[in-house]
Amino acid sequence: MSHQPPLLELRDVHKSFDNEEVLKGIDMSIERGDVEVLVGPSGSGKSTLLRCINRLTEIDRGQILLDGEDVAGPDVDVNELRQQVGMVFQDINLFAHLTARDNVTLGLRKVKGLDTEAARARAEDELRRVGLADQADSYPAQLSGGQKQRVGIARALAMDPKLLMFDEPTSALDPELSSSVLEVMEELVAEGMTMLVVTHEMRFARGAADRISFLDNGRIVERGPPAQLFETPEHERTRSFFESIASEA
Amino acid sequence: MTGLAAAGDVLVGTPLQTTDWAFVWQNRGYLLQGATITIVLTVASILLGFLVGFPAGAIEHYGDGPLRSLVRGAGVVLRGTPILVIMIFAYFVLPLDWAFVLPVGDAFQAAVVALGLRSAAYQSQIFRGALGSIDAGQLEAARAVGFSRVGAIWNVAVPQALRRSVPGFQNEFTIVLKDTSIAFAIGLGELLKRSYDLMVSQTTAALELFLAISLVYFVLTFTTNRALDILSTRFAIPGGDD
């Protein structure tokens, strides 16, 4: 059998902001179809790690390989790279002046170069996939938080990413609105999408993750299948983190 | 309309004389030509102000380095100089001779340059503020689907910033329209200049003439403001800004 490189590989990734090192040597690899959940206290570097992967932030040292190719390589067009790595934001960040449909078509038309009809058809497919076929003509301000975030997911999916990253997708939503977003994410897991998810939703992590990485203070403290981290963590720090999360929920 | 004239005795210079209104009416064609020049001058100046001011505002908000310093500096100088000084400078100092491109006189060209550049300096601030009010997260989301920086600004920030610029733009339009009267100083036959010349030929008609042209200015500012209101409503984002 031919050997395929992991879809995503991080090698000794370092990143500092103003002399403060937020990532202190991260190693990680994610295979196709895997779901990796990143957990950790705020300020532990989770969001920065995601932003380094699609180069919204540039790393200082180390290497990030997507499909075996260095994302910071000299031949890499960063705008090409970003089409392959979808991102869903905590703040959702829908384009406020466009309908749900056009939030999805904008990238298809102007980045991928699809014609209006093809972009429209594709957008409607993606909106159907997230359960919002009937809201295609609504503007962001007319949608609930959960609906907006699902449009955000549709927008990312439409670009056909190899990897879909979620940065606390439900943290800005009321619990009852989160569930529709989590359901869509669970469907994507079932479809085999490769996902890297920063979240505090432990139910999602336990049910959907192939692996959980616990980040603290810029380092991966512990990484393993959900059962291991929830039930038999090796480190005291991991145990206390999951206990504090459980007591909040 | 006859007002004081009804009292019987007719004094030279008494306001609101029937004969003076008749004089205004007789010269309506001449005055309307002036009003046309005022309108064309306003539109040309606003257009020049937009074409220069919009990129200038974008450079002030998104740019950096010497280009931004240059744009900022030019804006400070233009906003800090009286329009009358700018206009006299444009007419007497700048070597303007574009008559081979546009069949218009030097005074008109100088007035467009002066009003247009001064307006650009103010319009840049309207757009700078509007662009700055667009949430940076939206631009980041556009970058994340593969837009270049310029592509993200153009497709996401600009359409929203233009909508938010309308109220500031209404003020600017009103100011430019009224300030076209300053082209009087360089002899351009716009509305004020023409009424002034008429007054010189019939001094008793001063009040009537200036009331008449004030009405014209008012109608022009009022209608353009209303038109921009309608435009603003027409292009408002349903549900408001998110």
Side-chain angles (χ1 to χ4, degrees), chain A residues 25-61:
Chain A
I26 301 286
D27 293 283
M28 181 188 286
S29 83
I30 300 178
E31 301 293 335
R32 277 167 195 74
D34 274 4
V35 177
E36 173 99 21
V37 168
L38 288 176
V39 298
S42 55
S44 57
K46 309 180 297 285
S47 295
T48 303
L49 187 61
L50 295 194
R51 297 169 59 84
C52 287
I53 292 167
N54 68 355
R55 291 179 59 193
L56 287 175
T57 300
E58 300 289 350
I59 62 175
D60 297 331
R61 199 142 60 78

Side-chain angles (χ1 to χ4, degrees), chain A residues 51 54 56 78-79 82-83 85-87 89 92-97 106-107 110-111 139-142 148 155-156 159, chain B residues 135-149 154-157 159-160 163 237-242:
Chain A
R51 297 169 59 84
N54 68 355
L56 287 175
V78 71
N79 299 325
R82 288 180 182 145
Q83 294 175 50
V85 184
M87 188 154 184
F89 298 85
I92 307 174
N93 297 331
L94 291 187
F95 310 134
H97 63 304
L106 190 69
K110 309 271 176 161
V111 177
Y139 284 82
Q142 299 169 320
K148 277 190 262 194
R155 176 173 67 183
M159 305 306 283
Chain B
D135 176 28
Q138 287 188 45
L139 289 176
E140 195 159 72
R143 301 303 310 273
V145 293
F147 277 99
S148 66
R149 182 169 148 83
W154 181 253
N155 288 290
V156 174
Q160 296 180 58
R163 289 172 168 90
I237 298 165
D241 289 338
D242 187 40

Side-chain angles (χ1 to χ4, degrees), chain B residues 30-138:
Chain B
Y30 183 69
L31 286 170
L32 280 177
Q33 281 173 8
T36 307
I37 291 170
T38 292
I39 292 167
V40 175
L41 179 57
T42 303
V43 171
S45 303
I46 284 285
L47 211 60
L48 176 63
F50 182 80
L51 293 176
V52 175
F54 192 85
I59 288 166
E60 280 201 43
H61 183 66
Y62 295 112
D64 51 24
L67 182 61
R68 182 167 69 167
S69 304
L70 186 76
V71 169
R72 272 191 183 166
V76 168
V77 169
L78 283 164
R79 288 190 298 274
T81 309
I83 182 61
L84 187 53
V85 174
I86 299 175
M87 198 164 297
I88 287 172
F89 186 92
Y91 187 58
F92 291 105
V93 183
L94 289 184
L96 290 167
D97 186 14
W98 292 86
F100 59 91
V101 180
L102 295 167
V104 292
D106 287 353
F108 185 85
Q109 289 178 37
V112 169
V113 167
L115 287 165
L117 291 183
R118 201 271 308 246
S119 183
Y122 280 98
Q123 289 191 47
S124 70
Q125 300 309 292
I126 298 171
F127 300 130
R128 180 179 63 88
L131 288 166
S133 76
I134 306 302
D135 176 28
Q138 287 188 45

